[in-house]
Amino acid sequence: MDFHPITVIEIMFTVTLISTLFIIAFLIPKTKRKIGLYTASRITALVLLFFILRPFWINYHVSVKKEQLTLYLEKQFPNEKWQITQNIGRQYNPYIF
């Protein structure tokens, strides 16, 4: 599996952050450890949810932007033909057409 360098950096940063949270949760006094583990688990779940939902969120917004651009082009240049393209890849901004 080949990952883009941006993805590798994101994964390394996230793993470091979550590992640090769990290490801190284990090092705090026993009376507060349960709260620390609960908080670290919740943050881990939120980060995973973010990484799962982000592609769908971006695709939704890209489709809305394409629709808006199409309506604008139809209004601005009636009876013309055009093709909307965008660069594909992690290194490109998905919102630029």
Side-chain angles (χ1 to χ4, degrees), residues 58-59 62 65-66 86-87 89-90 92-97:
I58 290 173
N59 288 340
V62 166
K65 296 288 183 189
K66 276 186 182 178
Q86 74 185 103
N87 292 327
R90 225 16 241 281
Y92 300 113
N93 186 344
Y95 302 109
I96 296 177
F97 302 110

Side-chain angles (χ1 to χ4, degrees), residues 14-73:
T14 304
V15 167
T16 304
L17 175 72
I18 291 173
S19 299
T20 304
L21 287 174
F22 276 102
I23 289 170
I24 291 171
F26 278 114
L27 293 177
I28 58 177
K30 201 168 194 170
T31 57
K32 304 278 185 180
R33 189 171 296 160
K34 188 174 182 180
I35 294 171
L37 289 173
Y38 177 74
T39 304
S41 299
R42 295 283 289 203
I43 291 172
T44 302
L46 288 173
V47 167
L48 289 174
L49 190 64
F50 169 76
F51 281 118
I52 291 169
L53 293 179
R54 182 172 59 169
F56 297 109
W57 180 262
I58 290 173
N59 288 340
Y60 169 73
H61 282 280
V62 166
S63 68
V64 168
K65 296 288 183 189
K66 276 186 182 178
E67 187 176 319
Q68 290 173 346
L69 179 60
T70 302
L71 292 174
Y72 171 78
L73 290 173

